[in-house]
Amino acid sequence: MKRRVILFVALFSSFHLFAQLENIDLGHISGNVSLLWQQYNEDTLIGAQVPPEKAGFNAYGNLIYTRGNFSAGIRYESYLSPILGYPGRFKGTGIGYRYAQYTHQKFEITIGNFYDQFGSGMIFRTYEDRNLGYDNAMDGVRFIFRPYNGITLKGIYGHQRLDFDSRLINTDGIVRAADGEIFINDLIPALQEKKLKTTIGGSFVSKYQDGDIIEKDTLQLIVPNNVGAWAGRLNLQWKGLTAYGEYVHKINDPSADNGYTYRDGEALLVQLGYSRKGLGINVGGKMVDNMSYRSDRDLLLFDSPINYIPVITKQHTYNLAATLYPYATPLTGEASFMAEVFYKIPWGKYGTNVAMNFAAANNLDTTKYAGVDEQIYGFKRNSWGFGDTKYVRDFNVEVKQKFSKNFQLKLTYFYLEFNTTSTPVTTEFKGIVYADIAVAEFKYKLAKKHAIRGELQGLWTKQDRRDWATVLLEYTFSPHWFVSVLDQYNYSHPDPDRRIHYLFGTVGYINGSNRIALGYGKRREGIFCVGGVCRAVPASNGFEITVTSSF
Amino acid sequence: MKQLFFLLILALSATFVTAQNKVPNVQLKDIDGNTVNTKDLLNPDGPTVICFWATWCSPCKRELNNYAELYEDWQAETNVKIIAVSIDDQRSVSRVAPYINSVEWEYQVVLDPNSQFKRAMNVINVPHTFLIDKNGNIVWQHNNYADGDEDELHEQLQKLQ
C-alpha cells in the first residue's frame, strides 16, 4: 500500500515535472518498420526448392532521434533466414547501421554509417535498396563544410559495408573521398536572379587495400594498394534547357571484374534536355570503360562497389518489359546513347500524352593486345564510339488518353534487341533476343472510392522461352483495401511441359502509413539489376506476408 | 526505486511520442538547379503536402496527376502547397523535368537522387504522402495510392482549416 502511494506520488510529480518541461525541447523520435515473410513449397515444374527452414524472414526497423541540430539513428536488421534471392550469407539479427550527426551553421559532421553521392555517382555513391538487398553504406566519418553560400565541400573517410552476421561486417579496404561543388549563382550575388544556373564540381576518391603480387604464367605483377580516381562535372540550366556532363578517370585497378588487368578506367556521361509546357526532349550519351571500382578488388556482383554506373535504358514498369530482359551495363564497359520525347497533344478536354524513348548500347571499340601486353592490359580502346557487339536496342512508345473523369487507357509498344550473353538474364538462350512487347492498361473508377485497373501484356519472340502473356487485375477500395491477381503465362515455351502459369494473388490493407499485404502463388525465377550488376532470384511457390509502417 | 525509474522512462517516452514530428532539414536541388533546404519549402500560410514519387512509379504518377486536376480548387479552399519530391537516381533524373512539363504539373518539384530526404522522412516505398500543418508538424501520412485516396487527403486538409 505504502509503495503504491509512493508510486502514485512519483507518477503525479513526474507528470507535473513534464508539464513544466513541456516547453523544453526533448527531441523527437521517428522511424519505420518493414517485415517480409515468405513460405516455400516445392514445385519441380518451375524449379522452386524448399530451404531447410521452409520459410524466409527479413525485417528492418529504423529509429531516428532528432533534437535541434543533433540527430542519431539505428537500423535493426533480421535475416532469419534470409528471403530467397538475398545474399544467402546474410544471417542473424542485430544492428546493421548506426550514426550520429551534428549540424552547426556551416558544418555538418556524421560519424558511423552514412550514404552519399558525388555528382552522378559514377565516382562515388553509397546507397541502399532494401528490396534488392543492396547496401554499400560507408562506416566512418563525413565532414561537410559550407564556407560560403553556394560552396559545398565534403570529406569522407571509412570502411564500407559488405555483409551482415548479427552485426555489420565491413570490407578491409579504406575509402577516402573528397568532393567540392560550387553553385555559382549563390556564390556571386549579382548572378542570383540570372536565368543561367551554373554548377561545377570535382571529386577525388582513393581506396587502400593491402595486396602483394599476382602471378600470371611467368609474370609476377605488383598489385597497387592505393587506387585513386578523380572526376569533374558541369551542370548548366537556362530556362527550359539543361546540360549535364561528367568525366571520371581511375588509375590502374586490377580486380576480379577486369581479369586483374592494369588499364586505367574512364567514364563520360553527357545529358542534354529541353522542356516547356507540354513538351520535353532528352538526349544522352554514356561511355564507360573499366569503371568497376570496389573497396575489395576480389569481390563481385553487389559487394562493396564504391561507385554507381547509371543504366542507359529506361526503367520499365510493366512486368514483362521490366523483368524478363532488364538491361544492365556490363562492368567491362559499354558505349551508349539515348533519346526521348514527351509530348502532350492539346486536343479535346484532356489532351493525349505521348512518350517515345530509344536507347542503344554496344561494346567498346577495342583491339586486343597480344602476348605479355594482353596479360597486363587486356585490350586497348580505339575510340569513344561503338564496337561490333550489340548489347541492347530498346525502343518504346507510350500513348495515354483520358476519356472521362472515370476512364483512362494507356497503350505501350516496345521493340527490344537484347544480348543475353553480355547481360545474362536467362540460362536458356545465349545470343540476341528480338522481342515485341505490347501492353494495354486501363483504369476505371466504378464509384467514389472504388476503382479497377487492368493490364494486358504480350511479349513475342522466336528466341529464348518464346512468347509470354500477362494479365493483371487490381481492385482498390480507397483508402484501405486492395486486391490484385497477376498471371504470367509462358504459352509457347518450346517445351510444352513448361508452358506454365505463374499465378500470384495479393490482398492488402492500408491505414495511413501502415500497410499489410498477404500474397500467395508462384514467382518466376528472375533477375534483379542495380546499376551495372544483376543478381538471380530463384523461383518460388508459397505464401508471403509484408508489413510496412512509418511513424 | 526500480519502478520509479520505470515510470520516469515511461513519462519521458510519452512526451517523446506525443510530441509531433517535424520535417527534417536536408539540402536538395530543385528542378531549376537551385539549392533548397527542405525546411524552407514548407508553406507558412497554410498546409503543405509532400509527395515522394519517381518517374518509374506508376501509382505515384497517377496520384500526382489526379491531384493536379484538383490542385487549383484545393488551393482556393485551403491555401495548400504541394511539393513533389522525386527519388529518381542518375538513371532517370534527367527524365523528371521533361516529364513534369509534359503533364503540366504546377507543383514545386525537388530532386532527391540518393534518397537522403526519403530516408530522413522514414519513407519505405513510394508513393508516400505527408500532410504538414502551417506550424511544420507532420499531422497525417499515407503510403500507397489508389484512386479515391485524394478524397481522404481532401478531408484531412479540411480538418486543418
Side-chain angles (χ1 to χ4, degrees):
Chain A
M1 189 59 208
K2 206 172 159 191
R3 261 169 70 168
R4 256 192 223 170
V5 172
I6 294 175
L7 269 176
F8 187 75
V9 170
L11 184 70
F12 187 78
S13 57
S14 77
F15 277 138
H16 187 69
L17 179 70
F18 285 110
Q20 285 183 332
L21 282 177
E22 215 165 73
N23 292 329
I24 297 173
D25 180 14
L26 289 171
H28 304 278
I29 290 177
S30 66
N32 63 33
V33 174
S34 58
L35 318 172
L36 171 59
W37 177 82
Q38 281 181 355
Q39 170 266 336
Y40 305 111
N41 299 323
E42 191 168 313
D43 188 332
T44 46
L45 199 61
I46 64 170
Q49 293 182 345
V50 182
E53 305 89 342
K54 300 199 187 317
F57 177 76
N58 286 6
Y60 308 98
N62 282 290
L63 278 181
I64 301 176
Y65 169 73
T66 317
R67 180 171 183 261
N69 292 326
F70 175 81
S71 72
I74 58 160
R75 187 196 310 118
Y76 193 81
E77 306 178 21
S78 291
Y79 306 94
L80 302 167
S81 300
I83 295 295
L84 286 185
Y86 258 64
R89 49 165 216 264
F90 283 17
K91 54 178 185 276
T93 185
I95 290 170
Y97 169 89
R98 66 277 180 277
Y99 76 93
Q101 184 174 309
Y102 184 73
T103 314
H104 184 72
Q105 291 170 355
K106 294 173 173 176
F107 298 93
E108 182 183 312
I109 296 172
T110 310
I111 56 167
N113 296 109
F114 55 89
Y115 300 100
D116 208 329
Q117 175 176 332
F118 295 170
S120 64
M122 292 198 306
I123 186 163
F124 180 85
R125 185 189 191 203
T126 55
Y127 72 113
E128 56 164 342
D129 189 330
R130 304 246 75 86
N131 295 326
L132 302 179
Y134 186 104
D135 190 344
N136 63 343
M138 288 295 298
D139 188 0
V141 178
R142 175 180 59 188
F143 181 59
I144 301 178
F145 180 41
R146 299 186 171 98
Y148 298 101
N149 216 1
I151 298 186
T152 305
L153 303 170
K154 287 182 192 176
I156 286 170
Y157 232 104
H159 288 300
Q160 223 184 350
R161 173 172 167 142
L162 166 66
D163 205 350
F164 186 86
D165 185 355
S166 295
R167 65 182 181 86
L168 172 66
I169 296 172
N170 294 320
T171 56
D172 292 333
I174 300 170
V175 179
R176 303 155 292 194
D179 186 75
E181 187 170 281
I182 303 173
F183 179 40
I184 295 192
N185 301 70
D186 272 355
L187 182 66
I188 303 168
L191 298 177
Q192 205 124 42
E193 296 305 316
K194 289 273 187 283
K195 289 273 187 288
L196 178 69
K197 310 276 180 191
T198 311
T199 310
I200 55 171
S203 322
F204 180 75
V205 180
S206 161
K207 66 152 178 179
Y208 168 80
Q209 186 194 2
D210 199 20
D212 35 54
I213 280 170
I214 302 170
E215 296 195 16
K216 286 187 180 178
D217 290 341
T218 56
L219 294 172
Q220 289 209 319
L221 302 169
I222 297 168
V223 169
N225 291 348
N226 292 290
V227 176
W230 60 270
R233 60 183 186 270
L234 173 69
N235 187 21
L236 298 171
Q237 292 192 233
W238 186 69
K239 294 178 179 172
L241 286 166
T242 63
Y244 181 82
E246 181 163 10
Y247 172 79
V248 189
H249 193 108
K250 183 186 67 154
I251 68 159
N252 62 59
D253 179 22
S255 69
D257 286 317
N258 65 16
Y260 296 96
T261 52
Y262 282 69
R263 286 179 62 246
D264 284 9
E266 273 187 297
L268 178 70
L269 174 72
V270 177
Q271 291 170 329
L272 304 170
Y274 170 73
S275 65
R276 60 171 168 80
K277 278 272 169 274
L279 174 71
I281 299 169
N282 238 344
V283 291
K286 194 186 81 200
M287 197 279 309
V288 192
D289 180 4
N290 190 25
M291 270 310 295
S292 146
Y293 191 26
R294 300 175 194 271
S295 53
D296 183 331
R297 67 179 74 85
D298 302 317
L299 295 175
L300 292 165
L301 297 169
F302 281 22
D303 291 340
S304 301
I306 295 170
N307 64 343
Y308 165 85
I309 305 295
V311 178
I312 197 81
T313 54
K314 179 177 168 181
Q315 185 158 345
H316 299 307
T317 47
Y318 291 115
N319 180 281
L320 286 178
T323 62
L324 275 173
Y325 301 108
Y327 180 66
T329 310
L331 288 171
T332 48
E334 67 162 23
S336 60
F337 74 89
M338 60 79 70
E340 183 165 43
V341 179
F342 297 88
Y343 184 59
K344 183 173 181 178
I345 307 171
W347 56 24
K349 189 176 172 192
Y350 299 103
T352 305
N353 289 93
V354 181
M356 250 189 291
N357 169 288
F358 177 71
N362 269 33
N363 70 333
L364 296 165
D365 172 20
T366 59
T367 309
K368 221 174 184 180
Y369 284 116
V372 174
D373 274 356
E374 194 207 335
Q375 288 187 329
I376 301 175
Y377 300 108
F379 57 87
K380 76 166 194 227
R381 199 183 74 234
N382 306 316
S383 73
W384 294 63
F386 276 40
D388 304 329
T389 309
K390 186 190 297 172
Y391 284 164
V392 74
R393 298 287 181 273
D394 181 337
F395 170 78
N396 52 81
V397 53
E398 178 188 295
V399 179
K400 189 179 91 179
Q401 179 69 56
K402 191 166 181 174
F403 290 94
S404 72
K405 215 173 165 217
N406 297 327
F407 184 64
Q408 179 181 306
L409 189 66
K410 195 158 129 187
L411 301 172
T412 315
Y413 168 77
F414 305 77
Y415 174 71
L416 205 61
E417 294 180 12
F418 191 97
N419 187 332
T420 59
T421 311
S422 60
T423 310
V425 297
T426 168
T427 48
E428 296 180 35
F429 178 79
K430 290 275 167 254
I432 307 267
V433 171
Y434 299 85
D436 296 283
I437 306 170
V439 180
E441 179 189 357
F442 73 91
K443 187 186 87 179
Y444 185 65
K445 205 168 169 182
L446 300 156
K448 196 165 159 40
K449 294 183 176 215
H450 298 258
I452 187 162
R453 196 176 68 83
E455 292 173 12
L456 281 172
Q457 310 181 20
L459 180 147
W460 298 277
T461 176
K462 293 194 168 63
Q463 291 82 33
D464 194 24
R465 288 155 287 182
R466 307 262 178 91
D467 307 340
W468 289 79
T470 290
V471 180
L472 170 80
L473 280 175
E474 184 183 88
Y475 184 88
T476 51
F477 177 20
S478 164
H480 295 307
W481 292 95
F482 70 90
V483 184
S484 78
V485 182
L486 171 77
D487 184 18
Q488 280 186 311
Y489 180 29
N490 193 183
Y491 67 91
S492 70
H493 194 286
D495 174 1
D497 289 340
R498 296 189 53 199
R499 293 176 183 167
I500 301 164
H501 283 277
Y502 294 86
L503 193 63
F504 199 87
T506 313
V507 183
Y509 176 77
I510 297 151
N511 191 351
S513 59
N514 309 299
R515 180 179 189 271
I516 178 161
L518 169 71
Y520 178 73
K522 294 177 185 182
R523 278 173 299 262
R524 180 172 59 77
E525 64 177 338
I527 295 279
F528 272 141
C529 295
V530 175
V533 284
C534 293
R535 199 190 54 228
V537 175
S540 63
N541 179 345
F543 279 102
E544 177 179 296
I545 296 173
T546 54
V547 178
T548 59
S549 174
S550 302
F551 52 89
Chain B
M1 190 58 219
K2 218 172 172 182
Q3 273 145 322
L4 183 72
F5 183 68
F6 245 118
L7 274 172
L8 218 89
I9 296 274
L10 202 81
L12 247 170
S13 55
T15 37
F16 275 132
V17 173
T18 51
Q20 274 175 321
N21 276 317
K22 304 255 182 193
V23 174
N25 196 30
V26 172
Q27 203 173 76
L28 300 174
K29 288 265 181 185
D30 73 6
I31 198 78
D32 300 316
N34 298 307
T35 303
V36 291
N37 287 308
T38 50
K39 277 221 161 107
D40 303 333
L41 294 173
L42 303 180
N43 178 7
D45 310 315
T48 310
V49 172
I50 298 181
C51 297
F52 283 85
W53 73 288
T55 58
W56 42 260
C57 164
S58 319
C60 305
K61 290 189 282 185
R62 274 203 299 280
E63 172 179 25
L64 286 161
N65 281 322
N66 285 350
Y67 292 173
E69 288 175 18
L70 303 162
Y71 193 26
E72 230 173 280
D73 295 345
W74 285 359
Q75 275 180 315
E77 188 186 349
T78 65
N79 201 24
V80 64
K81 174 184 178 186
I82 297 182
I83 296 159
V85 182
S86 147
I87 61 157
D88 284 272
D89 72 9
Q90 196 63 38
R91 176 176 185 179
S92 50
V93 73
S94 61
R95 313 184 68 236
V96 174
Y99 176 77
I100 60 171
N101 263 321
S102 76
V103 290
E104 304 179 339
W105 290 349
E106 300 292 342
Y107 316 130
Q108 180 166 10
V109 179
V110 295
L111 306 172
D112 186 21
N114 208 32
S115 296
Q116 229 185 320
F117 188 41
K118 175 184 171 227
R119 206 171 297 115
M121 293 284 280
N122 293 298
V123 171
I124 299 170
N125 294 315
V126 286
H128 195 123
T129 306
F130 293 87
L131 176 60
I132 292 119
D133 70 14
K134 64 178 171 206
N135 301 318
N137 298 308
I138 299 172
V139 291
W140 177 85
Q141 47 180 311
H142 190 89
N143 180 217
N144 266 57
Y145 176 78
D147 277 84
D149 284 358
E150 57 273 19
D151 298 334
E152 203 200 356
L153 176 59
H154 188 217
E155 281 166 29
Q156 295 292 335
L157 281 168
Q158 285 172 324
K159 269 194 207 165
L160 286 181
Q161 288 299 296

